[in-house]
Amino acid sequence: MVQQISQAIGATIPNNTPHAVSVTLPTWEATVGYEEGQDWVVQKMSSGYPRFFIHAKIQELCKLLELNYARDDERCFIFPSYNVAKRVRAFVKSKTTLTSCNVRILQLSSPAPKNEEEATYRIEASIAVVFLPASEYSLGKQYWQHAGEGISSRLGEYFLDEMRSKLEVKPGKNKIHSVMSSERSSKRSSRSSINSTSQVNNEFTTFIEERFGRNLDLRKAKEAKEILRNRIASKIQEEITANDVYLTSSGMAAIFTAHQACLAVAPHKDEKSVCFGFPYVDTLNILKKWGAGVHFYGFGDDLSLNELKKKLEAGEKICSFICECPSNPLLKTPNMREIKELGDKFGFIVIVDETVGNVSNIDVLKYADIVTSSLTKVFSGDSNVMAGSLILNPKSNYYGELKEHFNKNFEDLLWDQDAIFLERNSRDFELRSKKINENALAVLKLFQDSKLLKDIFYPSISESRHHYDSIKNKDGGYGGLMSIVFKEEQDAVCFFNNVNCSKGPSLGTNFTLICPYSILAHFQELDEIEKWGVDRNLVRLSIGLEPTEELIGVLKDALDVASEQHEF
């Protein structure tokens, strides 16, 4: 395969990528071991998906901040602004079971550049540190995971490099806190290991930047963000400008920001929202944990929409309606035309997450009030930067109120270095998307010919294809995400363990990426998700840019190994 493939548990995907957004879980057993917290897996996890695994640089910065500023029995999380930190504090206080829960916020800034030369590599960076009781650490982690508003690994690395000398605790002046003393002593050797690893990674990164001419000039960040907004706006068939495109620090941050806007300005903002179709796990978590709650229509089909319509006609009010186009992992597409008509008639805001379809394949803005997307995925492709986007529909009935809300409340939290990487990664995203579409159709044919499979989920063969086709761009395709279910569990395990592709979380990468999705995303609720048609042994593939014949050969080899277990 074109992509160098790691089979080492916990290794970054791609290899040797300090800010990678995926991580290697090379076998079915390793994925289960990770979910169960087994030492033989967890202790090897040097990286992970950023909203679930806090990057080593951020962990190191947290430790220094705790050493310098934490009170007894306190831990910390780092966020990019004071406003985000206030939301974290409110969330922790609303969910804690403690009778008294003190959550403190500390704001810190790194030095501004002294001259024009320094401005090429230095910028005044600000962070907001949330200190909370160690017993409530899991609540802070929930916010970090669900809302997607934590600092990026590049911001953590930058702040650490800029402020390390001021944060390093001098010998004899250590303020040792009881909550950390045993942890620090047990991890002292790993700390030096992290430092040595960081040095190697920094040297590797410097080499790559110089080798390929991708040196980061921080003065270009504002221009990069403007290019990104215009690049996204130009792909929308509806007439919009870059002023209605907002960049966020992750795809989930875009969804969270959209939901927060609905809670502020929706006509029925005090009512529950609707989650339509089986969604990515944290979308549902956001609707459950912020606002009045959620009505969950997990099948996301025409029958479900008719059921909702009847309830609305009977007087039920809802705050907002959120769906994916198509859904992850079942690749269903809802009837967007009717959904928008219902939203206008009954006064709710329609949010569509088009991450899986992506803007080069589908155009959903005319049927939505807000469109969100994870730019981490196909738009970037390189699996080395987190970002998201949010688009307001200027023809929406709620545009005035939404625009006013965003003018007053929106913060640009996309770290400058991340924006520069994303701009460069995304220059050819349309061409990459087309190649991925072509590869996916070839893979689909391979799977359709296999006797091992009982289900294949892909937009072009879904019962909801007509809904997808109604939003598909003239030159668009059906995307690179595909899910398969084997007739026998042992075949799923055998196929996954033997396929010579990258294996881990995320999607939309330039290389094919595979995972046992249900195990990875819903391990604690496998019985529950099967009620919504999601098989516990479902395997999800994100098709990449490999030469088509080579990719087909790799997948066929794994199918053949699984076939050898049977006699047909």
Side-chain angles (χ1 to χ4, degrees):
M1 305 289 280
V2 175
Q3 169 71 19
Q4 184 184 1
I5 298 165
S6 172
Q7 295 297 325
I9 294 172
T12 60
I13 301 177
N15 285 332
N16 300 315
T17 304
H19 301 285
V21 303
S22 190
V23 60
T24 302
L25 289 167
T27 65
W28 198 281
E29 294 79 9
T31 308
V32 172
Y34 170 73
E35 292 297 328
E36 292 181 341
Q38 296 179 18
D39 288 345
W40 70 277
V41 178
V42 175
Q43 291 184 358
K44 296 177 182 177
M45 300 293 289
S46 60
S47 65
Y49 196 75
R51 287 189 302 101
F52 292 84
F53 183 96
I54 297 177
H55 191 276
K57 287 292 185 180
I58 300 175
Q59 291 186 47
E60 188 177 352
L61 181 56
C62 282
K63 287 181 172 62
L64 286 175
L65 292 168
E66 288 169 349
L67 279 167
N68 280 271
Y69 302 111
R71 297 172 182 169
D72 289 343
D73 198 38
E74 280 187 337
R75 300 289 303 279
C76 78
F77 286 91
I78 310 170
F79 295 90
S81 80
Y82 180 63
N83 286 331
V84 177
K86 288 195 295 183
R87 288 196 287 272
V88 179
R89 179 170 61 191
F91 176 77
V92 172
K93 284 182 169 292
S94 71
K95 303 298 182 183
T96 184
T97 58
L98 299 178
T99 54
S100 176
C101 181
N102 185 30
V103 180
R104 301 186 299 117
I105 300 173
L106 171 69
Q107 297 182 81
L108 296 172
S109 295
S110 65
K114 297 176 182 177
N115 50 53
E116 189 65 18
E117 179 184 356
E118 277 198 0
T120 64
Y121 61 86
R122 176 167 287 144
I123 185 173
E124 185 176 8
S126 297
I127 59 172
V129 190
V130 176
F131 291 95
L132 72 170
S135 63
E136 308 309 288
Y137 185 84
S138 63
L139 290 177
K141 188 70 182 297
Q142 284 181 37
Y143 192 99
W144 182 281
Q145 174 186 325
H146 302 331
E149 292 189 314
I151 62 166
S152 81
S153 55
R154 284 190 180 86
L155 174 52
E157 180 180 61
Y158 178 86
F159 201 90
L160 188 64
D161 290 344
E162 288 288 296
M163 301 293 288
R164 186 190 299 275
S165 61
K166 294 183 179 181
L167 293 174
E168 290 284 8
V169 180
K170 302 298 185 294
K173 295 185 179 181
N174 290 25
K175 183 181 180 182
I176 305 296
H177 301 284
S178 59
V179 68
M180 295 188 60
S181 58
S182 60
E183 179 183 0
R184 284 200 304 276
S185 62
S186 66
K187 292 189 177 180
R188 193 168 291 124
S189 59
S190 64
R191 171 74 68 81
S192 53
S193 173
I194 289 174
N195 288 337
S196 62
T197 302
S198 299
Q199 183 178 357
V200 172
N201 283 340
N202 287 338
E203 291 174 356
F204 180 84
T205 304
T206 301
F207 167 75
I208 292 295
E209 291 296 318
E210 293 177 353
R211 170 69 176 80
F212 296 101
R214 290 175 56 131
N215 297 303
L216 298 181
D217 184 343
L218 290 178
R219 294 174 302 178
K220 301 292 186 181
K222 183 177 180 180
E223 180 184 354
K225 291 181 180 181
E226 188 65 23
I227 291 171
L228 286 167
R229 286 191 289 267
N230 277 293
R231 185 169 295 158
I232 294 167
S234 69
K235 307 310 173 190
I236 306 293
Q237 293 181 5
E238 304 299 302
E239 293 183 6
I240 68 165
T241 69
N243 290 331
D244 289 322
V245 179
Y246 298 85
L247 301 177
T248 60
S249 54
S250 69
M252 287 315 303
I255 293 173
F256 181 76
T257 301
H259 183 54
Q260 292 292 307
C262 292
L263 295 180
V265 306
H268 308 296
K269 59 187 178 183
D270 295 326
E271 302 294 336
K272 291 183 178 181
S273 294
V274 163
C275 182
F276 195 77
F278 192 89
Y280 178 70
V281 57
D282 282 315
T283 298
L284 192 56
N285 279 323
I286 286 172
L287 298 181
K288 285 179 178 178
K289 297 184 180 183
W290 284 270
V294 59
H295 301 292
F296 181 40
Y297 291 81
F299 291 116
D301 55 13
D302 291 346
L303 288 175
S304 300
L305 191 58
N306 287 336
E307 180 184 342
L308 173 62
K309 183 177 179 180
K310 290 177 182 178
K311 290 183 177 180
L312 292 169
E313 290 173 342
E316 186 166 285
K317 303 285 192 293
I318 62 172
C319 169
S320 64
F321 178 109
I322 186 165
C323 64
E324 299 172 348
C325 278
S327 64
N328 174 18
L330 296 182
L331 288 306
K332 293 182 179 180
T333 306
N335 184 344
M336 291 310 309
R337 182 186 299 274
E338 184 169 4
I339 288 167
K340 186 62 169 66
E341 290 174 355
L342 292 175
D344 290 343
K345 181 177 181 180
F346 293 104
F348 59 82
I349 294 174
V350 176
I351 304 169
V352 180
D353 179 7
E354 54 92 270
T355 297
V356 173
N358 93 65
V359 70
S360 72
N361 287 323
I362 61 174
D363 182 11
V364 296
L365 188 65
K366 59 179 173 250
Y367 299 129
D369 302 299
I370 303 174
V371 173
T372 66
S373 187
S374 173
L375 304 182
T376 308
K377 310 303 192 297
V378 175
F379 190 79
S380 169
D382 276 346
S383 189
N384 64 359
V385 62
M386 295 280 283
S389 65
L390 183 152
I391 307 170
L392 297 182
N393 181 356
K395 296 180 180 178
S396 163
N397 289 346
Y398 315 106
Y399 178 76
E401 293 88 345
L402 287 168
K403 191 65 176 177
E404 182 179 0
H405 171 82
F406 276 83
N407 287 342
K408 290 180 179 178
N409 297 286
F410 181 78
E411 287 186 290
D412 176 4
L413 300 178
L414 180 61
W415 172 234
D416 286 358
Q417 290 175 326
D418 292 320
I420 293 171
F421 265 89
L422 182 63
E423 190 280 315
R424 289 172 174 173
N425 289 355
S426 62
R427 290 174 184 176
D428 63 346
F429 92 95
E430 283 188 288
L431 292 174
R432 289 186 285 104
S433 180
K434 290 182 186 301
K435 174 60 177 176
I436 287 171
N437 292 341
E438 294 169 5
N439 273 352
L441 290 176
V443 171
L444 175 63
K445 185 178 185 307
L446 173 70
F447 287 149
Q448 286 177 317
D449 292 339
S450 174
K451 298 179 180 179
L452 298 177
L453 301 179
K454 68 176 182 179
D455 283 312
I456 305 170
F457 299 97
Y458 190 66
S460 70
I461 59 171
S462 170
E463 291 182 355
S464 62
R465 173 175 175 164
H466 59 294
H467 293 320
Y468 187 98
D469 285 345
S470 71
I471 58 174
K472 186 167 76 71
N473 293 330
K474 184 177 180 181
D475 58 348
Y478 294 95
L481 200 67
M482 186 180 303
S483 297
I484 56 177
V485 178
F486 287 80
K487 296 174 182 176
E488 303 289 342
E489 178 183 355
Q490 64 181 16
D491 293 337
V493 175
C494 183
F495 170 82
F496 182 77
N497 288 352
N498 285 281
V499 68
N500 188 28
C501 292
S502 294
K503 303 174 197 177
S506 197
L507 58 93
T509 48
N510 292 337
F511 46 88
T512 296
L513 184 62
I514 305 181
C515 69
Y517 180 80
S518 299
I519 301 295
L520 193 60
H522 298 281
F523 188 70
Q524 302 298 330
E525 49 187 6
L526 293 174
D527 291 337
E528 177 64 24
I529 66 172
E530 287 192 330
K531 298 177 184 177
W532 303 107
V534 183
D535 192 280
R536 65 183 59 220
N537 297 312
L538 180 145
V539 175
R540 193 188 71 180
L541 300 92
S542 177
I543 308 301
L545 297 173
E546 297 87 356
T548 306
E549 290 185 5
E550 189 175 343
L551 175 58
I552 295 301
V554 167
L555 297 174
K556 185 177 184 301
D557 287 346
L559 288 173
D560 288 345
V561 174
S563 295
E564 291 172 2
Q565 302 178 109
H566 302 275
E567 291 184 8
F568 291 106

